[in-house]
Amino acid sequence: MVGEVVLVNAYKKFFREYFNFKGKTSRLDFWYVILSLLILSIIPTVILSYLIFGSLMNISGGGNVQEIIESTFLNIPIFIIGIIYLFLLVPVITMTVRRWRDVGLRASGIILIFCLLVLIVILCFIIHLKQNLIIDFLIVISSAMFLITLMPSRTCCTNSKNRISQFFFYSKGER
């Protein structure tokens, strides 16, 4: 019962603060929402996979894979699920930013990290680097971002007078 109440409260906060990048999100609220969304996303993924692969398995010798993929029967559920995922993308991003701010990252540091990440991915595509290098880079960055969400509140706050660390992290007394 207590877990259900916490989950309901986490979702209320998740949707109530849809566009709110300021404030804090606790580890518990963050992970309740993220893990439940992950579990809930498995259901449509399994259904779509069954529909797509089931249709592909039923192709006769004269069937065309492209016709099955383009069929309206598959496009409607894919479109609906895509809209739902786009609807949930904004609050997931804002909740993640609030979680990182709770850990001690400044907004300026978060924005710079996102901009550098996007710039590096775009440059990798422009100069045609090997796809494995791009994937490896994204795995390293996403792993670091994942680890930040696991940290307790105020872990990244610093007492350093270094301007670079002050650009990325709050000072201990500031938050």
Side-chain angles (χ1 to χ4, degrees):
M1 178 71 178
V2 173
E4 292 174 13
V5 172
V6 174
L7 180 62
V8 169
N9 289 339
Y11 265 101
K12 283 181 183 177
K13 187 175 181 181
F14 176 70
F15 285 111
R16 191 175 49 237
E17 297 183 3
Y18 198 91
F19 291 108
N20 181 13
F21 285 92
K22 296 184 178 182
K24 298 178 180 181
T25 298
S26 69
R27 279 190 297 180
L28 188 64
D29 286 347
F30 179 84
W31 284 109
Y32 263 124
V33 171
I34 292 296
L35 292 176
S36 62
L37 285 176
L38 180 66
I39 290 168
L40 290 174
S41 70
I42 290 172
I43 296 167
T45 303
V46 168
I47 292 171
L48 282 177
S49 298
Y50 177 75
L51 290 173
I52 292 170
F53 292 120
S55 297
L56 291 175
M57 297 301 284
N58 291 328
I59 296 176
S60 61
N64 184 355
V65 173
Q66 189 66 26
E67 290 174 9
I68 291 176
I69 293 175
E70 291 175 355
S71 73
T72 306
F73 176 68
L74 293 176
N75 285 339
I76 291 172
I78 291 171
F79 179 75
I80 292 170
I81 291 171
I83 294 296
I84 292 170
Y85 286 166
L86 284 175
F87 174 73
L88 293 173
L89 180 65
V90 172
V92 166
I93 289 172
T94 58
M95 182 180 65
T96 303
V97 168
R98 286 193 311 268
R99 177 74 204 121
W100 291 344
R101 288 173 51 88
D102 188 36
V103 170
L105 293 174
R106 287 184 179 278
S108 55
I110 294 170
I111 291 170
L112 181 66
I113 290 169
F114 272 123
C115 290
L116 288 175
L117 178 64
V118 170
L119 180 66
I120 289 171
V121 170
I122 290 171
L123 287 175
C124 288
F125 282 114
I126 290 174
I127 60 176
H128 302 293
L129 288 178
K130 292 182 179 180
Q131 190 173 10
N132 292 342
L133 182 63
I134 296 169
I135 292 171
D136 291 344
F137 178 75
L138 291 175
I139 288 172
V140 167
I141 294 296
S142 58
S143 298
M145 292 175 170
F146 169 75
L147 290 174
I148 290 171
T149 62
L150 294 175
M151 294 179 175
S153 298
R154 303 177 50 85
T155 301
C156 292
C157 292
T158 182
N159 285 329
S160 175
K161 300 295 183 198
N162 184 328
R163 288 187 181 194
I164 294 174
S165 65
Q166 288 179 347
F167 180 81
F168 284 102
F169 307 112
Y170 286 105
S171 17
K172 291 216 184 243
E174 195 171 344
R175 282 202 61 120

